Amino acid sequence: MTRTTEIAREAEGRAAVSANVGLDLAKIAKERGIKYFLISYVDLFGGLRAKLVPAAAIGPMQKEGAGFAGFATWLDMSPADPDLFAVPDPSSLIQLPWKEEIGWLAADLYMAGEEVAQAPRTVLKKQLAAAAALGYEVKTGVECEYFLITPDGKSISDTSDTAEKPCYDQSALMRRYDVIKDICDAMLKLGWGAYQNDHEDANGQFEMNWNYDNALLTADRHVFFKYMVKSIAEQHGLRATFMPKPFINLTGSGCHAHVSLWSKGKNAFSDPKGELGVSQLGYNFIGGLIHNADALCAITNPTVNSYKRINAPRTISGATWAPNTVTYTGNNRTHMIRIPDAGRFEFRLADGAANPYLLQAGLTAAGLDGIENQRDPGKRLDINMYTDGHKVKGAKRLPLNMLDALRALEKSRVLGERLGQPFVSGYLKLKHEEWNAYSRHLTQWERDNTLDI
């Protein structure tokens, strides 16, 4: 095959994706006054990558994609690989509320005319297609906690935010009103259905909530939300971080996910006759999460720092608000999975470092495994796991560190098959390299405790 034919086939494959969407970005740019587009994708480590494309050039880019060198980002590729093309999904377009001349686009990755199987958005779309094949739509919402800190990252930005129990502190919330308002105004303008903002359990920590929706749309919005929060914080001379545990004595930042399955416009997890108003299908889905939790942890808690949140000692507020055991319950926040009301559940394990697409993909893959294999989640525990968890026999503990989680994912036949080996093998390879880099790092703790042995 000649290089000309190869290029033609690559363009044909990428154009087919854009053609299915039916939205003309060049036309939209003229109508909305967009001068530039950010064509973006998220790599395996959750890094947001982009090229800034002038509106005058968006026509060819919509069909052929923006070119990248995959090895230059956190993807399992080499410098010898062909160009990576990020083909924008026009339906994902978000006009930056604080700079409306720029339009942001989520993109799908292609190489040599084929979808890149390890690309996080592709991994999620595969899982949603698997759910659709069973007749279900996955709907989710996320609660993204973050800290507003000083630009150097050394401390929280509000020196007056010192309460022992700062959660919902009105004064601390209002001292950051200008930042919170700008972010919430942006979400309202975008039509996300933002409905509340609060100061969270740690000093300097906040959370903002918007409506749940289709899992792909939620993931796209999650990606943009993190970018938006960081950008607006910078405009106010601050820094925002979604790091799971930036301060050892403060509560870490979780990313709780609320999940339900829908079929023919009805909530398939809802059953008035079911326990706590949840259907057998819902409990099977929870059973899949229970069964796969240790391996799933490598995805929902993807960094070395993640395990300082889920295996943390008591914080100054009195609780970590994070699970360390694989259990589920009713309306009780001390467990990994909480059923707050009928027809849905809250997965409380994931943290702020979770890749937005892989979070949703992992939840869907594990849940569908539960449905297809009718997995029993076991007995619901209505106890305080922080005070009485040691009395529970047989409950699995979550991994103690990132290496344990990676090893669990390596052994997981379920996630290996469902998420696909191109993704799992590439993810594990890069994450093991990250662990090894961490292991080579000499900490001050080691010097303080072993220098004179």
Side-chain angles (χ1 to χ4, degrees):
M1 181 170 60
T2 66
R3 178 58 182 155
T4 302
T5 304
E6 182 181 359
I7 293 172
R9 287 191 179 180
E10 290 177 14
E12 181 181 355
R14 296 191 296 273
V17 178
S18 296
N20 289 335
V21 179
L23 296 174
D24 187 336
L25 289 173
K27 182 179 179 182
I28 292 172
K30 292 181 180 179
E31 293 172 348
R32 301 189 188 180
I34 297 174
K35 296 180 180 179
Y36 287 90
F37 289 92
L38 282 166
I39 298 180
S40 304
Y41 72 90
V42 175
D43 64 22
L44 291 176
F45 283 12
L48 183 57
R49 312 291 180 162
K51 282 197 172 180
L52 186 63
V53 176
I58 196 61
M61 291 289 178
Q62 180 173 352
K63 295 177 181 179
E64 300 175 9
F68 293 80
F71 177 73
T73 68
W74 290 116
L75 293 169
D76 183 25
M77 296 178 178
S78 82
D81 284 319
D83 285 345
L84 183 72
F85 287 93
V87 179
D89 179 350
S91 68
S92 71
L93 175 63
I94 296 175
Q95 224 168 325
L96 271 58
W98 64 94
K99 195 177 287 291
E100 293 187 336
E101 65 185 34
I102 299 175
W104 178 87
L105 291 158
D108 295 306
L109 300 183
Y110 287 79
M111 182 179 286
E114 301 290 335
E115 278 191 310
V116 175
Q118 64 175 282
R121 198 169 191 263
T122 298
V123 174
L124 173 56
K125 289 169 73 174
K126 176 185 174 183
Q127 297 310 308
L128 299 184
L134 297 175
Y136 301 115
E137 178 186 8
V138 184
K139 291 191 177 184
T140 61
V142 288
E143 300 176 3
C144 305
E145 296 172 341
Y146 64 92
F147 283 83
L148 289 175
I149 58 177
T150 56
D152 62 10
K154 293 182 178 180
S155 62
I156 64 170
S157 62
D158 182 0
T159 57
S160 297
D161 190 351
T162 58
E164 185 176 329
K165 284 188 176 289
C167 203
Y168 315 124
D169 187 319
Q170 177 173 295
S171 295
L173 175 67
M174 293 308 291
R175 282 196 296 273
R176 287 291 170 256
Y177 170 77
D178 290 341
V179 185
I180 302 299
K181 172 186 176 297
D182 283 355
I183 298 169
C184 191
D185 282 351
M187 288 193 287
L188 290 169
K189 190 171 185 177
L190 293 171
W192 290 9
Y195 59 88
Q196 65 182 14
N197 312 287
D198 68 73
H199 189 295
E200 274 296 317
D201 190 62
N203 307 106
Q205 186 185 47
F206 300 87
E207 179 181 297
M208 312 177 74
N209 304 121
W210 69 92
N211 288 344
Y212 73 94
D213 215 307
N214 175 276
L216 180 62
L217 181 58
T218 292
D220 283 339
R221 288 177 173 176
H222 186 182
V223 171
F224 187 81
F225 177 78
K226 293 180 73 173
Y227 168 65
M228 177 168 62
V229 168
K230 292 176 182 179
S231 297
I232 291 176
E234 287 177 2
Q235 291 172 11
H236 288 269
L238 305 175
R239 184 175 180 180
T241 179
F242 293 84
M243 183 180 177
K245 189 76 169 176
F247 305 104
I248 200 65
N249 62 327
L250 300 180
T251 305
S253 290
C255 184
H256 305 154
H258 293 258
V259 183
S260 57
L261 288 190
W262 293 68
S263 179
K264 298 179 180 178
K266 295 183 178 180
N267 186 345
F269 280 2
S270 181
D271 182 356
K273 297 180 181 179
E275 194 171 312
L276 299 180
V278 174
S279 66
Q280 185 59 50
L281 184 85
Y283 281 109
N284 289 151
F285 196 104
I286 291 173
L289 294 175
I290 296 287
H291 179 76
N292 296 288
D294 51 351
L296 187 60
C297 209
I299 294 171
T300 60
N301 305 80
T303 69
V304 169
N305 181 255
S306 294
Y307 299 84
K308 290 180 169 59
R309 169 183 168 264
I310 62 175
N311 292 300
R314 180 172 172 160
T315 63
I316 63 171
S317 74
T320 66
W321 300 102
N324 54 29
T325 308
V326 184
T327 55
Y328 81 102
T329 186
N331 199 351
N332 176 337
R333 288 180 168 87
T334 64
H335 293 253
M336 186 183 84
I337 295 174
R338 174 176 78 113
I339 302 174
D341 50 38
R344 67 184 172 97
F345 67 84
E346 178 189 36
F347 181 79
R348 296 179 58 81
L349 176 58
D351 62 44
N355 185 310
Y357 297 113
L358 298 181
L359 167 60
Q360 303 296 338
L363 290 174
T364 303
L368 293 182
D369 168 65
I371 289 173
E372 293 184 0
N373 291 287
Q374 297 183 331
R375 298 202 185 276
D376 182 356
K379 182 182 178 181
R380 190 183 83 235
L381 297 177
D382 295 323
I383 63 172
N384 183 337
M385 286 299 292
Y386 294 161
T387 57
D388 299 323
H390 63 283
K391 301 177 183 178
V392 179
K393 296 182 179 180
K396 290 192 298 183
R397 299 282 296 184
L398 289 166
L400 290 174
N401 54 54
M402 187 173 114
L403 181 61
D404 287 349
L406 294 177
R407 287 172 172 168
L409 180 57
E410 283 176 325
K411 296 177 182 177
S412 174
R413 179 185 58 81
V414 171
L415 294 187
E417 291 179 357
R418 290 184 174 272
L419 296 176
Q421 282 306 314
F423 158 69
V424 173
S425 62
Y427 184 80
L428 286 170
K429 173 186 172 183
L430 295 179
K431 280 294 175 180
H432 273 296
E433 290 175 359
E434 181 181 10
W435 174 262
N436 291 336
Y438 165 72
S439 298
R440 290 190 294 268
H441 177 66
L442 181 64
T443 66
Q444 188 59 43
W445 185 94
E446 293 169 271
R447 295 185 61 82
D448 291 343
N449 287 275
T450 61
L451 196 63
D452 295 319
I453 286 180

